Amino acid sequence: MLLWFVIGYWVISVAIGLYAAMRVHNTKDFAIAGRHLPFYMVTATVFATWFGSETVLGIPATFLKDGLRGVVADPFGSSMCLILVGLFFAAPLYRMNMLTIGDYYRRRYGRTVEVVTTIAIVISYLGWVGAQISALGLVFNVVSDGQISKLAGMWIGSITILVYTFFGGMWAVAVTDFIQMIVIAVGMLYIGNEVAGMAGGVSAVVAHATAAGKFEFWPAFDAKEVIAFAAAWMTMMFGSIPQQDVFQRVTSSRTERIAVWATVLGASLYFVFAFVPMFLAYSATLLEPQLVADLIDSDPQKILPSLILQKAPLFAQIMFFGALLSAIKSCASATLLAPSVTFTENILRPLMPDMNDRQLLKAMRSVTLIFTVLVTLYAMNSKDSIFQMVENAYQVTLVGAFVPLTAGLFWKRATNQGAIYSMFFGMAVWILLLAFGPADPFLPAQFAGLLAAVFGMLVGSLIPQFITTGLPPVHTHEALHAHHPAAASHHVGTPPHRH
């Protein structure tokens, strides 16, 4: 019965996504839903995109092992990222009327920076999308009682999500996200109430977790621990900001005000609801302590779904797995679309400048197909946990893209040369420490890479210009549009004038 529900829900979701695809007529519709999304839909797609497999499976597993301190990256860092985007980044980026975040780097710094940051952003999505595909394999394996292997489940999940993302783009993602947000919220609250009743109430679970030290958040007053804690927090908080999926939600909004406040509200809802799966998973220590003992070291991600299957009635199981599938599908579709759009727009399109809009749309869909296959293969061969795959994904953009984005928006003296130095120093230090650094370093690789990126931006921008990127340095948004008279007026989805 549960398996048939999963199949039925899956088919309905794909059908809704394909129905939404009827709104896609050009690249602007495919990439950013024509900039027509209302407040409630932007809020839903921000929430649903981030409420993925790591929230339902990865974060609770980490919380069981390491407590609240172990999940500082997500949900604390990730929700803070979205709040920062809403308050400081959404308005200036929305006004620039662009198709991708890569377009910003080209306008602000030139072609070289556009290419390097786009490649970094696309690579970073391997871990995030891989986590969703891995979770789909796990879900199909669990609900079929092993009849569907985890590998087969990965391919079933990735292919079906590809179907509506391929045709519907951002419109399909937004419409399905809205429905899936409702399913997630209702499902999580319902199953939370059911499990709380079985465990003796919310207070009993919280008291047990408190006594076990699971709510200890701040690190010990030790330099190494404090730096490691800050590095984990900043990886998601800052590394997630220069991401295409975040940018798409901002620029898909109908108005600038929607872009700002829908992002903040979606972040707040995500932070609150992220604690429900943690509560559910910890309840297993009271309800099924042997289950926790058996899986905590081998496969802690199975603890929560196994608890639901063993202890909850059928309807509660349906509600839980409906919410779980909604979380994974919404996150996976968004993270398949984002890198495909930015790779096509910022890497392929300049190589084929004569492409018309129809050809560009076809190219975006083709890249989406190729990326789906690649990321499924990556997920099949990855040994990392879901939580690790997501956290590691953002180290790339933290050291390679965050500083140029932030400096370009808020520091008037940032130059093309500074951006190149920042990317080179940040990624070089990060890669060298990962490859040759100690296993337990005093300064984590991504933290050192971020500091090197800041140093590179300062040095490169303040010394005389030795590197050019085909564009003169620009210092403000007004100067940016002055250097690119077509940039402020061209329609999104048509190539801006290149000097």
Side-chain angles (χ1 to χ4, degrees):
M1 179 68 74
L2 179 60
L3 179 60
W4 281 111
F5 164 78
V6 168
I7 294 172
Y9 177 71
W10 204 256
V11 171
I12 292 171
S13 298
V14 172
I16 292 171
L18 290 175
Y19 175 77
M22 295 172 63
R23 293 178 177 237
V24 176
H25 305 291
N26 52 49
T27 54
K28 184 178 178 182
D29 292 335
F30 187 82
I32 54 174
R35 286 170 71 97
H36 290 317
L37 296 186
F39 183 89
Y40 70 90
M41 200 169 281
V42 177
T43 301
T45 193
V46 168
F47 169 85
T49 297
W50 284 67
F51 201 99
S53 63
E54 72 283 0
T55 313
V56 184
L57 301 176
I59 293 175
T62 305
F63 176 74
L64 282 176
K65 297 182 71 174
D66 303 321
L68 209 58
R69 189 180 302 155
V71 296
V72 61
D74 195 5
F76 290 92
S78 54
S79 55
M80 193 63 202
C81 156
L82 292 171
I83 290 173
L84 291 175
V85 168
L87 295 179
F88 299 105
F89 292 84
L93 289 174
Y94 185 85
R95 293 180 201 131
M96 295 178 72
N97 194 29
M98 300 176 295
L99 195 68
T100 69
I101 189 69
D103 290 346
Y104 168 81
Y105 291 103
R106 181 187 67 243
R107 293 192 196 175
R108 184 64 172 87
Y109 298 116
R111 176 62 178 159
T112 301
V113 178
E114 174 192 18
V115 171
V116 176
T117 51
T118 297
I119 291 173
I121 289 168
V122 171
I123 291 173
S124 73
Y125 277 98
L126 283 173
W128 196 4
V129 189
Q132 313 313 313
I133 301 302
S134 179
L136 285 173
L138 176 65
V139 171
F140 279 109
N141 179 254
V142 169
V143 299
S144 68
D145 197 23
Q147 295 180 49
I148 300 175
S149 70
K150 188 173 180 180
L151 291 181
M154 288 183 185
W155 282 110
I156 293 170
S158 61
I159 290 171
T160 49
I161 290 173
L162 169 66
V163 170
Y164 70 80
T165 307
F166 181 90
F167 291 104
M170 189 61 193
W171 267 118
V173 170
V175 172
T176 53
D177 278 359
F178 175 67
I179 296 170
Q180 287 159 358
M181 175 185 170
I182 297 172
V183 175
I184 291 169
V186 173
M188 284 292 142
L189 290 176
Y190 178 84
I191 195 65
N193 181 65
E194 287 287 309
V195 171
M198 291 186 286
V202 174
S203 58
V205 177
V206 171
H208 193 281
T210 303
K214 296 300 181 182
F215 289 123
E216 294 177 5
F217 181 67
W218 298 107
F221 194 68
D222 174 81
K224 183 177 179 180
E225 288 195 30
V226 170
I227 291 174
F229 181 85
W233 197 328
M234 288 190 296
T235 298
M236 293 285 279
M237 182 167 62
F238 295 151
S240 304
I241 290 176
Q243 289 285 0
Q244 175 64 16
D245 64 281
V246 176
F247 175 84
Q248 278 178 306
R249 275 130 198 84
V250 167
T251 200
S252 297
S253 304
R254 184 180 295 163
T255 67
E256 180 182 315
R257 184 178 179 84
I258 290 174
V260 172
W261 295 112
T263 303
V264 172
L265 179 58
S268 303
L269 290 173
Y270 170 73
F271 182 76
V272 171
F273 274 90
F275 285 90
V276 178
M278 282 189 269
F279 167 81
L280 294 173
Y282 193 81
S283 299
T285 60
L286 282 74
L287 296 171
E288 290 288 341
Q290 189 58 50
L291 172 68
V292 175
D294 292 341
L295 294 176
I296 192 66
D297 292 320
S298 60
D299 197 354
Q301 295 163 166
K302 281 189 174 181
I303 291 175
L304 181 50
S306 298
L307 172 71
I308 301 302
L309 286 175
Q310 292 183 18
K311 302 294 290 186
L314 178 61
F315 184 72
Q317 292 178 20
I318 290 174
M319 294 299 291
F320 172 78
F321 283 101
L324 175 56
L325 286 170
S326 294
I328 299 171
K329 281 164 55 60
S330 58
C331 189
S333 59
T335 50
L336 281 176
L337 178 66
S340 305
V341 168
T342 194
F343 182 84
T344 307
E345 167 72 5
N346 301 110
I347 301 296
L348 289 184
R349 184 176 191 169
L351 299 176
M352 295 179 282
D354 295 329
M355 276 198 300
N356 58 35
D357 191 74
R358 179 180 292 273
Q359 292 169 328
L360 182 62
L361 177 58
K362 185 177 180 180
M364 285 182 178
R365 285 172 167 161
S366 299
V367 172
T368 304
L369 170 61
I370 294 169
F371 189 78
T372 301
V373 174
L374 291 176
V375 81
T376 305
L377 293 172
Y378 170 83
M380 289 170 58
N381 293 282
S382 177
K383 302 301 181 185
D384 290 337
S385 69
I386 291 171
F387 189 84
Q388 288 172 326
M389 279 194 276
V390 172
E391 186 177 7
N392 293 340
Y394 296 109
Q395 293 188 21
V396 184
T397 44
L398 175 69
V399 302
F402 171 70
V403 172
L405 172 64
T406 307
L409 287 173
F410 303 112
W411 189 40
K412 293 182 178 181
R413 301 186 67 178
T415 65
N416 307 343
Q417 180 174 267
I420 292 176
Y421 279 31
S422 175
M423 294 185 304
F424 176 78
F425 287 178
M427 288 194 281
V429 168
W430 175 64
I431 292 170
L432 287 172
L433 287 178
L434 284 180
F436 305 108
D440 186 24
F442 179 80
L443 199 64
Q446 74 270 29
F447 195 104
L450 176 62
L451 295 178
V454 173
F455 175 77
M457 175 58 74
L458 292 173
V459 170
S461 296
L462 296 178
I463 65 175
Q465 292 274 301
F466 296 108
I467 297 175
T468 60
T469 58
L471 294 170
V474 293
H475 303 306
T476 64
H477 294 303
E478 290 75 16
L480 175 63
H481 291 299
H483 284 303
H484 299 269
S489 60
H490 84 281
H491 293 292
V492 176
T494 60
H497 176 67
R498 295 179 183 275
H499 295 285

